[in-house]
Amino acid sequence: MSNVSEQVNRAVAEAYRAEWALVLAATVRVARDFDLAEECVQEAYAQALVTWTRDGIPDRPGAWLLTTAKRRVLDVIRHEQVLRAKLPQLLIRAEDTPASSVETNRTDDVPDDRLRLIFTCCHPALDKNAQVALTLRLICGVSTGDIAGAFLVSETTMAARVTRAKKKIAIARIPFRVPRGGDLPERLDAVLSVIYLLYAAGHVAPSGTQLQRVDLAEQALYVSRMLHQLMPDESEVAGLLALVLLTDARRTTRTDGDGALVRLEDQNRSEWNRAAIDEGRELVLRGMRVGPAGRYLIQAAIAALHAEAPTFDDTDWPQIVRLYDRLLQVWPSPVVALNRAVALSMAVDPTTALREVEALEKDARLRAHHYLPAIKADLLRRLNRPADAVLAYQAALALAENETEREFLTRRLHAVSGHQRI
């Protein structure tokens, strides 16, 4: 029995990764309500654990989940006596709807299913931050707390944003419809942000026991490649694909055999994915020749310098600082300024970088960002100020939620407390 349960658990997990977006999209079309649709889809997945264990895993898990979710929507509507006049029409629509609502809206303008859904949710009637948050939550399955961390706001604030976006869609009767080709450019910036934050959530999982969420990283890589095929002449699209390729090329070397975090300077560069690095570097060079670089292309150029360096000591830190200066001009983010401080510590000295970090401590947006005290702690360690470094490591530990990062910070804290070399 335990073996059956394990098989079912794996099947449900795989169905979540592969089918969630499509099942939710089709359910929304029946429910006309994001909250109700999401709740019913979640219940369908929970029911799958019970029914599949008893009856066996269906040949088409996605179709089973979709049928179960739709039936639950109709049950709720009946129970609450809502839209009674429209119920016969709704019942017919539920029976006639194909296994994926994407099929009913298929358009050659956006040839990939998941990318099509991302464009659909990034509706210009919503505030851009709301578009991105709603899409990450509903289509990509990123938790509200993890999205909040990416936006440097509290989980309560982010939950309110997502709720307001859902309500606006309902009140304004914004159609859940795939945009045509002429409508794609106005949604592109939000779509790029979704893919960027999706990859960020996979590169370093905001919470959990593993450093990386490979499923999210691979999803972001796939969708960014599809987007580039759709819009090959957009330099920022090329830049985002390059950034993902160059960063993800290091995936297998970022943790050791025990799952512990491995610092960039200690990673085995011979194991980096050279094909991905070469492809990403070519995209950067081509994009830089086209015209002024935006935030994604500049970040890709920084990633390329890291990837091209034969060793950590050979990294062109002065050039990386200059690129961060350009990035701050087009994207004045405190996180960018913090990353620039790290590069500055290598290009100039830790003392100069520490002044930059201490200035950033006054920025309220970084108050819950654990990388700020972690970076400060490392600078203090390098400056041989162990007592101050201990306090900074403790502050970082109080904020960090990823267990792999917490274990790394704990090892650092113990080492600096004992004045050991690390």
Side-chain angles (χ1 to χ4, degrees):
M1 183 65 180
S2 60
N3 187 45
V4 172
S5 297
E6 290 176 4
Q7 291 177 354
V8 170
N9 287 339
R10 286 196 298 269
V12 171
E14 176 58 30
Y16 181 85
R17 287 190 293 268
E19 306 281 359
W20 171 268
L22 302 181
V23 173
L24 178 63
T27 306
V28 166
R29 288 175 58 78
V30 174
R32 304 301 190 206
D33 181 287
F34 274 111
D35 283 328
L36 176 58
E38 187 177 15
E39 178 182 342
C40 291
V41 171
Q42 289 172 345
E43 290 182 8
Y45 276 88
Q47 183 62 40
L49 291 171
V50 177
T51 304
W52 296 2
T53 300
R54 184 189 66 220
D55 301 338
I57 300 169
D59 294 334
R60 298 173 60 206
W64 187 97
L65 290 161
L66 177 56
T67 299
T68 303
K70 285 181 177 179
R71 287 174 177 167
R72 178 55 183 156
V73 167
L74 298 176
D75 287 344
V76 171
I77 291 175
R78 290 190 190 98
H79 179 72
E80 296 180 352
Q81 298 182 345
V82 174
L83 301 179
R84 185 178 296 275
K86 296 184 179 180
L87 190 55
Q89 179 184 356
L90 199 59
L91 282 166
I92 293 172
R93 183 184 298 134
E95 294 299 324
D96 292 343
T97 303
S100 167
S101 68
V102 174
E103 294 294 329
T104 66
N105 281 314
R106 189 166 294 280
T107 168
D108 292 334
D109 292 334
V110 187
D112 177 72
D113 287 345
R114 185 165 285 124
L115 182 59
R116 183 181 299 113
L117 289 171
I118 293 174
F119 268 106
T120 298
C121 276
C122 290
H123 197 288
L126 300 174
D127 170 77
K128 181 193 169 184
N129 286 342
Q131 294 176 37
V132 174
L134 186 66
T135 308
L136 285 169
R137 180 70 193 92
L138 294 181
I139 302 304
C140 303
V142 181
S143 73
T144 303
D146 290 350
I147 299 170
F151 279 87
L152 303 179
V153 299
S154 69
E155 183 171 352
T156 302
T157 298
M158 183 52 64
R161 286 184 186 177
V162 172
T163 299
R164 285 196 299 271
K166 292 178 182 178
K167 287 182 178 178
K168 183 169 183 177
I169 287 174
I171 294 172
R173 298 183 180 276
I174 296 173
F176 192 75
R177 185 172 60 236
V178 179
R180 302 297 299 181
D183 298 325
L184 299 182
E186 66 177 336
R187 304 189 184 201
L188 180 58
D189 189 45
V191 170
L192 289 169
S193 293
V194 167
I195 300 172
Y196 176 79
L197 292 175
L198 178 63
Y199 181 74
H203 183 65
V204 177
S207 57
T209 59
Q210 303 297 316
L211 178 65
Q212 306 172 91
R213 279 196 58 183
V214 174
D215 59 321
L216 296 184
E218 291 183 342
Q219 184 181 158
L221 177 57
Y222 174 79
V223 177
S224 60
R225 191 178 291 283
M226 292 300 101
L227 182 59
H228 183 247
Q229 290 182 12
L230 179 66
M231 298 178 159
D233 297 327
E234 291 284 346
S235 62
E236 278 296 81
V237 173
L240 178 60
L241 175 57
L243 175 60
V244 173
L245 284 166
L246 290 161
T247 306
D248 204 55
R250 299 188 289 109
R251 183 200 301 174
T252 60
T253 65
R254 296 179 60 233
T255 54
D256 63 19
D258 297 322
L261 187 151
V262 179
R263 298 176 300 175
L264 177 62
E265 59 196 88
D266 296 326
Q267 291 173 16
N268 185 348
R269 297 181 178 228
S270 67
E271 295 182 3
W272 288 359
N273 187 332
R274 302 313 306 183
I277 291 172
D278 291 342
E279 183 182 358
R281 182 173 51 193
E282 179 58 31
L283 286 167
V284 171
L285 294 174
R286 195 183 313 152
M288 289 293 186
R289 289 195 294 265
V290 171
R295 57 185 276 197
Y296 300 110
L297 194 56
I298 295 173
Q299 288 181 87
I302 293 171
L305 287 175
H306 283 297
E308 292 169 355
T311 68
F312 184 80
D313 292 337
D314 291 326
T315 305
D316 190 348
W317 293 108
Q319 177 65 5
I320 288 177
V321 171
R322 288 192 289 272
L323 284 169
Y324 271 120
D325 289 337
R326 290 179 61 185
L327 183 58
L328 279 170
Q329 292 175 358
V330 300
W331 187 25
S333 162
V335 175
V336 174
L338 183 61
N339 290 333
R340 178 187 178 277
V342 175
L344 192 67
S345 74
M346 304 302 299
V348 182
D349 58 65
T351 300
T352 303
L354 181 60
R355 286 197 294 266
E356 299 282 340
V357 171
E358 289 174 339
L360 287 169
E361 287 180 310
K362 301 174 184 177
D363 193 320
R365 291 172 292 179
L366 294 178
R367 189 169 297 151
H369 195 58
H370 70 281
Y371 289 123
L372 190 150
I375 290 170
K376 181 179 181 180
D378 188 63
L379 294 173
L380 290 166
R381 177 190 63 83
R382 289 164 59 188
L383 290 169
N384 196 28
R385 293 170 55 182
D388 294 328
V390 165
L391 295 176
Y393 277 126
Q394 290 172 339
L397 273 166
L399 296 172
E401 296 184 12
N402 181 284
E403 287 303 317
T404 301
E405 289 189 314
R406 288 183 57 80
E407 290 171 4
F408 173 79
L409 291 169
T410 299
R411 291 197 304 272
R412 286 276 179 162
L413 174 60
H414 290 165
V416 78
S417 297
H419 300 278
Q420 299 173 18
R421 290 183 60 83
I422 54 176

